Amino acid sequence: MAAPLDGVPDGEAGSLPEATVVRLPVYFRGLVELAEDGTTTVSSQQLAELAGVNAAKVRKDLSYLGSYGTRGVGYDVGFLMQQIGRILGGNEPAPVVIVGAGNLGKALSRYDGFGASGFPVVAIVDADPAVVGRKSAGVVVHHVDELPKVVKKAGCLVGIVATPAAAAQEAVDRLVAAGVRSILNFAPVVVTVPEGIGLRKVDLATELHILGYYEHRRGASRATG
Amino acid sequence: MAAPLDGVPDGEAGSLPEATVVRLPVYFRGLVELAEDGTTTVSSQQLAELAGVNAAKVRKDLSYLGSYGTRGVGYDVGFLMQQIGRILGGNEPAPVVIVGAGNLGKALSRYDGFGASGFPVVAIVDADPAVVGRKSAGVVVHHVDELPKVVKKAGCLVGIVATPAAAAQEAVDRLVAAGVRSILNFAPVVVTVPEGIGLRKVDLATELHILGYYEHRRGASRATG
DNA sequence: TAGATTGTTAATCGATTAACAATC
DNA sequence: TAGATTGTTAATCGATTAACAATC
């Protein structure tokens, strides 16, 4: 039943409760929003509200990662993003392509710590011709039809889905078709991949606000469930 | 934490474990397939394989509904569909519109017991102009653009999403826009509805094969989570 | 110091599972 | 009867939560 993450030091993320692993991307997304607002500190209560859970659960979950908070103060937003990013992404840098150049996609591409935590954003694609050619955080937006080319050229190992809900499944399908095998879904819908595709499914749960977390890193592929 | 179903006699479905409620539509879909094949009896082991769980779980889940199996034999497919359909649908008949006239949609519309269990299929819509105008189980397929008109005219209270995964979210959005407040999603993806829309969320979980089950019947609306 | 908030404990709860008696 | 399969029990497991000592 345990769902150890590839590329993460054992005895740390390898021993995270499955329910906690499921919530990490939810926290991460909340932290991205806070970072965008320039907020540098967050309490378990605030993060709980952003994630739609209670504060006790947040503290419990974060305690599995380590003692990263400060009593009487809270958690450092940037540091916490790094830690969670590190766990979600593993240690070795994995070039990221973001699908969707809307608000969320742009926020993710702008966030510096994202690259620092092992997710350098090297490409962005979008379906809207109006945004193709624009730059976000120094990266030119390409059309989604060019995804296979973009992925190959930039060596993207991870795809982040930052589309509206209705487009998320197609984004995933396109990423899979382009050979991407690690997908973080930040759209508010749970997506699926064909069985036998070799994606590792870490997370079966969902939330109204978010998510779905599929992970497969350079390793053996196993299916949960 | 309990998720009592509106329109279902208390002390029965009202006391079903949440994890069981989540799996009922999964079993239901498996039973639809069996019924299509003309299979009349199914063992917990067979149903478990169709649903992607283990046999003990199937027996445990079904035991919450009542003692509907026969030792040494198995479960009657049609009868089990009726029981599960009754629990999912409540007691009063709720006219159904099916979105998606593909294999699954047609199978659902054909299944007689569906109407018998309180879900008379009164309308079918599809996005493909090629199938519009055709009949399935005596019901004419309309174009999905006419959904609001169809829903109003036929008094549909329940929408069943039987589209490919990529189209499921839009189907849900259209159903919600058309005023449908009970949605059974049979597409292999979990869909979401805007917060505050008044849909009652019964199920947060998903599976690779299936689904998501949102329910709201003529009652107060509550949000889980 | 006083106030705030974390990190951890321990109790509780719900879900899963194997095993097997019941029984067709 | 013999074989098959259910329905239920009981043990186990993981997740949740409140509470509070630790500590900034």
Side-chain angles (χ1 to χ4, degrees):
Chain A
M1 273 299 150
L5 295 167
D6 292 334
V8 170
D10 238 44
E12 185 181 76
S15 59
L16 288 179
E18 193 160 320
T20 297
V21 173
V22 167
R23 282 187 294 266
L24 286 185
V26 189
Y27 299 146
F28 192 87
R29 185 174 176 177
L31 291 168
V32 169
E33 285 178 25
L34 290 169
E36 279 292 299
D37 291 347
T39 308
T40 58
T41 299
V42 64
S43 70
S44 58
Q45 178 58 39
Q46 291 174 293
L47 192 51
E49 279 162 21
L50 283 171
V53 301
N54 64 39
K57 203 177 283 183
V58 168
R59 289 201 300 277
K60 185 76 169 170
D61 285 337
L62 296 184
S63 76
Y64 289 119
L65 313 185
S67 293
Y68 294 151
T70 307
R71 290 166 202 251
V73 178
Y75 302 86
D76 183 89
V77 171
F79 186 73
L80 205 49
M81 288 185 74
Q82 276 195 1
Q83 299 311 314
I84 296 179
R86 192 173 51 82
I87 286 169
L88 294 181
N91 283 323
E92 297 174 53
V96 165
V97 55
I98 295 178
V99 182
N103 287 334
L104 181 60
K106 281 188 285 188
L108 287 168
S109 68
R110 269 200 299 273
Y111 175 61
D112 259 357
F114 214 47
S117 60
F119 285 127
V121 175
V122 297
I124 307 173
V125 298
D126 198 290
D128 182 1
V131 302
V132 169
R134 293 194 192 170
K135 276 195 174 186
S136 180
V139 179
V140 177
V141 178
H142 286 87
H143 193 271
V144 68
D145 287 344
E146 297 183 55
L147 191 60
K149 206 185 303 176
V150 167
V151 164
K152 190 173 179 189
K153 191 171 174 192
C156 301
L157 293 174
V158 174
I160 292 184
V161 177
T163 66
Q169 183 64 49
E170 185 171 355
V172 168
D173 294 342
R174 281 169 178 261
L175 283 167
V176 168
V180 176
R181 290 294 176 268
S182 298
I183 300 176
L184 274 166
N185 175 30
F186 281 149
V189 61
V190 167
V191 293
T192 61
V193 294
E195 284 190 277
I197 198 64
L199 272 207
R200 188 153 76 87
K201 195 175 192 188
V202 172
D203 164 5
L204 288 173
T206 181
E207 260 295 332
L208 252 189
H209 300 292
I210 203 167
L211 52 138
Y213 171 43
Y214 297 83
E215 164 75 32
H216 172 95
R217 290 293 291 276
R218 294 173 276 279
S221 59
R222 281 148 285 172
T224 306
Chain B
M1 273 302 152
L5 295 168
D6 293 334
V8 171
D10 238 44
E12 185 182 76
S15 60
L16 289 179
E18 192 159 320
T20 297
V21 172
V22 167
R23 283 187 294 266
L24 286 184
V26 188
Y27 299 145
F28 192 86
R29 186 174 176 176
L31 291 168
V32 169
E33 284 179 27
L34 290 169
E36 280 294 300
D37 290 346
T39 307
T40 58
T41 299
V42 64
S43 70
S44 58
Q45 179 58 38
Q46 291 174 293
L47 192 50
E49 278 161 23
L50 283 172
V53 299
N54 64 39
K57 204 176 282 182
V58 168
R59 289 200 300 277
K60 185 75 168 170
D61 285 338
L62 296 185
S63 76
Y64 289 119
L65 313 186
S67 293
Y68 294 150
T70 306
R71 291 168 203 250
V73 179
Y75 301 86
D76 183 272
V77 171
F79 186 73
L80 205 50
M81 289 185 75
Q82 275 195 1
Q83 299 311 314
I84 295 180
R86 191 172 52 83
I87 287 170
L88 294 181
N91 282 323
E92 297 174 54
V96 165
V97 55
I98 295 177
V99 181
N103 287 336
L104 180 59
K106 281 187 286 189
L108 287 168
S109 68
R110 265 199 300 273
Y111 175 59
D112 260 357
F114 215 45
S117 60
F119 286 128
V121 176
V122 297
I124 307 173
V125 298
D126 199 289
D128 183 0
V131 302
V132 169
R134 292 194 193 170
K135 275 195 175 188
S136 181
V139 179
V140 177
V141 178
H142 286 87
H143 193 270
V144 68
D145 287 345
E146 297 185 54
L147 191 59
K149 204 185 303 176
V150 166
V151 164
K152 192 174 178 189
K153 191 170 173 191
C156 301
L157 293 174
V158 174
I160 292 183
V161 178
T163 67
Q169 183 64 49
E170 185 172 355
V172 168
D173 294 343
R174 281 170 178 261
L175 283 168
V176 168
V180 176
R181 288 295 176 269
S182 298
I183 300 176
L184 274 166
N185 175 28
F186 281 148
V189 61
V190 167
V191 292
T192 61
V193 294
E195 284 190 276
I197 198 64
L199 271 208
R200 188 153 77 85
K201 196 174 189 187
V202 173
D203 164 4
L204 289 174
T206 182
E207 261 294 334
L208 253 190
H209 300 293
I210 203 171
L211 41 130
Y213 171 43
Y214 297 83
E215 164 75 31
H216 171 96
R217 290 292 292 275
R218 297 173 275 279
S221 59
R222 281 148 287 170
T224 307

